[in-house]
Short mmCIF file of all heavy atoms in Angstrom, two decimals:
data_model
loop_
_atom_site.label_atom_id
_atom_site.label_comp_id
_atom_site.label_asym_id
_atom_site.label_seq_id
_atom_site.Cartn_x
_atom_site.Cartn_y
_atom_site.Cartn_z
N HIS Z 121 -4.42 3.51 19.48
CA HIS Z 121 -3.76 4.54 18.63
C HIS Z 121 -4.10 4.42 17.17
O HIS Z 121 -3.39 4.76 16.31
CB HIS Z 121 -2.22 4.38 18.85
CG HIS Z 121 -1.77 4.60 20.21
ND1 HIS Z 121 -1.51 5.92 20.66
CD2 HIS Z 121 -1.48 3.83 21.22
CE1 HIS Z 121 -1.21 5.84 21.98
NE2 HIS Z 121 -1.14 4.59 22.32
N HIS Z 122 -5.31 3.85 16.98
CA HIS Z 122 -5.83 3.67 15.68
C HIS Z 122 -5.95 4.98 14.88
O HIS Z 122 -5.63 5.08 13.71
CB HIS Z 122 -7.15 2.98 15.68
CG HIS Z 122 -7.90 2.94 14.33
ND1 HIS Z 122 -7.48 2.23 13.28
CD2 HIS Z 122 -9.04 3.52 13.93
CE1 HIS Z 122 -8.30 2.34 12.27
NE2 HIS Z 122 -9.24 3.15 12.64
N ALA Z 123 -6.37 6.08 15.60
CA ALA Z 123 -6.60 7.34 14.98
C ALA Z 123 -5.32 7.91 14.41
O ALA Z 123 -5.23 8.39 13.27
CB ALA Z 123 -7.24 8.34 16.00
N GLU Z 124 -4.21 7.84 15.22
CA GLU Z 124 -2.92 8.40 14.74
C GLU Z 124 -2.40 7.57 13.53
O GLU Z 124 -1.88 8.12 12.56
CB GLU Z 124 -1.92 8.32 15.87
CG GLU Z 124 -2.24 9.19 17.04
CD GLU Z 124 -2.81 8.40 18.12
OE1 GLU Z 124 -3.95 7.95 18.01
OE2 GLU Z 124 -2.18 8.29 19.22
N ILE Z 125 -2.54 6.23 13.60
CA ILE Z 125 -2.11 5.34 12.49
C ILE Z 125 -2.88 5.75 11.21
O ILE Z 125 -2.36 5.82 10.12
CB ILE Z 125 -2.24 3.89 12.85
CG1 ILE Z 125 -1.32 3.55 14.04
CG2 ILE Z 125 -1.97 2.99 11.66
CD1 ILE Z 125 -1.66 2.10 14.58
N SER Z 126 -4.19 5.88 11.38
CA SER Z 126 -5.03 6.21 10.25
C SER Z 126 -4.75 7.54 9.68
O SER Z 126 -4.75 7.77 8.39
CB SER Z 126 -6.50 6.15 10.62
OG SER Z 126 -6.89 4.79 11.00
N ALA Z 127 -4.45 8.50 10.49
CA ALA Z 127 -4.06 9.90 10.02
C ALA Z 127 -2.85 9.85 9.23
O ALA Z 127 -2.67 10.45 8.09
CB ALA Z 127 -3.95 10.78 11.20
N PHE Z 128 -1.79 9.12 9.67
CA PHE Z 128 -0.51 9.00 8.99
C PHE Z 128 -0.73 8.34 7.55
O PHE Z 128 -0.40 8.87 6.56
CB PHE Z 128 0.54 8.25 9.79
CG PHE Z 128 1.81 8.07 9.15
CD1 PHE Z 128 2.86 8.97 9.23
CD2 PHE Z 128 2.07 6.94 8.27
CE1 PHE Z 128 4.04 8.80 8.58
CE2 PHE Z 128 3.27 6.75 7.58
CZ PHE Z 128 4.22 7.70 7.73
N GLY Z 129 -1.24 7.12 7.63
CA GLY Z 129 -1.51 6.35 6.33
C GLY Z 129 -2.45 7.05 5.45
O GLY Z 129 -2.28 7.08 4.25
N GLY Z 130 -3.51 7.65 6.04
CA GLY Z 130 -4.53 8.30 5.20
C GLY Z 130 -3.92 9.52 4.48
O GLY Z 130 -4.24 9.72 3.23
N MET Z 131 -3.14 10.30 5.12
CA MET Z 131 -2.56 11.47 4.48
C MET Z 131 -1.58 11.07 3.36
O MET Z 131 -1.55 11.64 2.27
CB MET Z 131 -1.81 12.31 5.52
CG MET Z 131 -2.73 13.18 6.38
SD MET Z 131 -3.72 14.42 5.44
CE MET Z 131 -5.32 13.61 5.36
N PHE Z 132 -0.81 10.05 3.61
CA PHE Z 132 0.14 9.62 2.62
C PHE Z 132 -0.55 9.10 1.35
O PHE Z 132 -0.25 9.51 0.28
CB PHE Z 132 1.09 8.54 3.18
CG PHE Z 132 2.23 8.18 2.24
CD1 PHE Z 132 3.44 8.76 2.30
CD2 PHE Z 132 2.04 7.11 1.28
CE1 PHE Z 132 4.47 8.42 1.42
CE2 PHE Z 132 3.04 6.73 0.43
CZ PHE Z 132 4.25 7.41 0.49
N LEU Z 133 -1.53 8.29 1.57
CA LEU Z 133 -2.29 7.69 0.46
C LEU Z 133 -3.09 8.77 -0.23
O LEU Z 133 -3.26 8.76 -1.48
CB LEU Z 133 -3.20 6.58 0.87
CG LEU Z 133 -2.54 5.33 1.41
CD1 LEU Z 133 -3.55 4.27 1.93
CD2 LEU Z 133 -1.60 4.70 0.36
N LEU Z 134 -3.61 9.75 0.53
CA LEU Z 134 -4.45 10.84 -0.12
C LEU Z 134 -3.55 11.64 -1.03
O LEU Z 134 -3.96 11.98 -2.14
CB LEU Z 134 -4.98 11.69 0.96
CG LEU Z 134 -5.92 12.80 0.49
CD1 LEU Z 134 -7.17 12.27 -0.25
CD2 LEU Z 134 -6.34 13.73 1.65
N LEU Z 135 -2.25 11.91 -0.64
CA LEU Z 135 -1.37 12.64 -1.55
C LEU Z 135 -1.00 11.80 -2.77
O LEU Z 135 -0.82 12.39 -3.83
CB LEU Z 135 -0.15 13.02 -0.79
CG LEU Z 135 -0.26 14.30 0.08
CD1 LEU Z 135 0.99 14.55 0.93
CD2 LEU Z 135 -0.56 15.53 -0.76
N VAL Z 136 -0.88 10.52 -2.62
CA VAL Z 136 -0.65 9.61 -3.83
C VAL Z 136 -1.78 9.81 -4.86
O VAL Z 136 -1.56 10.01 -5.98
CB VAL Z 136 -0.48 8.18 -3.43
CG1 VAL Z 136 -0.49 7.31 -4.62
CG2 VAL Z 136 0.74 8.02 -2.53
N PHE Z 137 -3.02 9.79 -4.30
CA PHE Z 137 -4.18 10.01 -5.13
C PHE Z 137 -4.26 11.29 -5.73
O PHE Z 137 -4.50 11.55 -6.99
CB PHE Z 137 -5.42 9.63 -4.36
CG PHE Z 137 -6.75 10.05 -4.98
CD1 PHE Z 137 -7.18 9.34 -6.09
CD2 PHE Z 137 -7.53 11.14 -4.53
CE1 PHE Z 137 -8.34 9.77 -6.77
CE2 PHE Z 137 -8.67 11.46 -5.13
CZ PHE Z 137 -9.10 10.84 -6.25
N LEU Z 138 -4.19 12.36 -4.93
CA LEU Z 138 -4.26 13.73 -5.33
C LEU Z 138 -3.27 14.10 -6.44
O LEU Z 138 -3.56 14.78 -7.41
CB LEU Z 138 -4.15 14.73 -4.22
CG LEU Z 138 -5.28 14.64 -3.15
CD1 LEU Z 138 -5.02 15.61 -2.02
CD2 LEU Z 138 -6.67 15.10 -3.83
N ASN Z 139 -2.01 13.68 -6.28
CA ASN Z 139 -1.02 14.02 -7.23
C ASN Z 139 -1.23 13.34 -8.57
O ASN Z 139 -0.78 13.77 -9.63
CB ASN Z 139 0.45 13.69 -6.69
CG ASN Z 139 0.97 14.80 -5.83
OD1 ASN Z 139 1.39 15.83 -6.36
ND2 ASN Z 139 0.96 14.60 -4.53
N PHE Z 140 -1.94 12.16 -8.51
CA PHE Z 140 -2.30 11.50 -9.74
C PHE Z 140 -3.44 12.19 -10.42
O PHE Z 140 -3.30 12.47 -11.65
CB PHE Z 140 -2.67 10.11 -9.41
CG PHE Z 140 -3.13 9.25 -10.65
CD1 PHE Z 140 -2.13 8.71 -11.48
CD2 PHE Z 140 -4.43 9.12 -10.96
CE1 PHE Z 140 -2.52 7.98 -12.61
CE2 PHE Z 140 -4.81 8.37 -12.13
CZ PHE Z 140 -3.80 7.84 -12.94
N VAL Z 141 -4.50 12.55 -9.78
CA VAL Z 141 -5.65 13.22 -10.45
C VAL Z 141 -5.36 14.61 -10.84
O VAL Z 141 -6.01 15.24 -11.75
CB VAL Z 141 -6.93 13.10 -9.58
CG1 VAL Z 141 -7.38 11.71 -9.33
CG2 VAL Z 141 -6.70 13.80 -8.26
N PHE Z 142 -4.42 15.31 -10.10
CA PHE Z 142 -4.06 16.67 -10.54
C PHE Z 142 -3.06 16.75 -11.64
O PHE Z 142 -2.72 17.81 -12.13
CB PHE Z 142 -3.59 17.42 -9.23
CG PHE Z 142 -4.71 17.83 -8.25
CD1 PHE Z 142 -4.46 17.92 -6.96
CD2 PHE Z 142 -5.92 18.22 -8.80
CE1 PHE Z 142 -5.44 18.24 -6.03
CE2 PHE Z 142 -7.00 18.62 -7.82
CZ PHE Z 142 -6.67 18.60 -6.50
N ASP Z 143 -2.43 15.66 -11.95
CA ASP Z 143 -1.42 15.57 -12.95
C ASP Z 143 -2.08 15.68 -14.36
O ASP Z 143 -3.14 15.15 -14.63
CB ASP Z 143 -0.67 14.26 -12.93
CG ASP Z 143 0.52 14.19 -13.85
OD1 ASP Z 143 1.10 15.31 -14.11
OD2 ASP Z 143 0.84 13.13 -14.36
N ASP Z 144 -1.44 16.41 -15.23
CA ASP Z 144 -1.95 16.59 -16.63
C ASP Z 144 -1.53 15.35 -17.42
O ASP Z 144 -0.41 15.33 -18.10
CB ASP Z 144 -1.33 17.90 -17.24
CG ASP Z 144 -2.07 18.17 -18.57
OD1 ASP Z 144 -3.07 17.56 -18.91
OD2 ASP Z 144 -1.62 19.07 -19.27
N LYS Z 145 -2.34 14.30 -17.49
CA LYS Z 145 -2.00 13.08 -18.14
C LYS Z 145 -2.46 13.08 -19.58
O LYS Z 145 -3.36 13.77 -19.97
CB LYS Z 145 -2.67 11.94 -17.35
CG LYS Z 145 -2.20 11.84 -15.87
CD LYS Z 145 -2.95 10.78 -15.19
CE LYS Z 145 -4.42 11.06 -14.95
NZ LYS Z 145 -4.66 12.29 -14.09
N ASP Z 146 -1.81 12.22 -20.33
CA ASP Z 146 -2.24 11.97 -21.71
C ASP Z 146 -3.50 11.24 -21.84
O ASP Z 146 -4.27 11.39 -22.73
CB ASP Z 146 -1.10 11.22 -22.51
CG ASP Z 146 0.16 12.05 -22.65
OD1 ASP Z 146 0.10 13.33 -22.65
OD2 ASP Z 146 1.28 11.47 -22.70
N VAL Z 147 -3.71 10.31 -20.87
CA VAL Z 147 -4.86 9.45 -20.89
C VAL Z 147 -5.78 9.74 -19.72
O VAL Z 147 -5.31 9.86 -18.57
CB VAL Z 147 -4.51 7.92 -20.79
CG1 VAL Z 147 -5.76 7.09 -20.69
CG2 VAL Z 147 -3.66 7.51 -21.97
#
Side-chain angles (χ1 to χ4, degrees):
H121 298 278
H122 171 67
E124 296 99 293
I125 296 171
S126 295
F128 177 89
M131 284 298 101
F132 187 90
L133 293 178
L134 183 62
L135 278 173
V136 172
F137 167 71
L138 291 174
N139 276 286
F140 179 80
V141 295
F142 285 146
D143 184 34
D144 189 10
K145 300 176 290 297
D146 294 331
V147 177

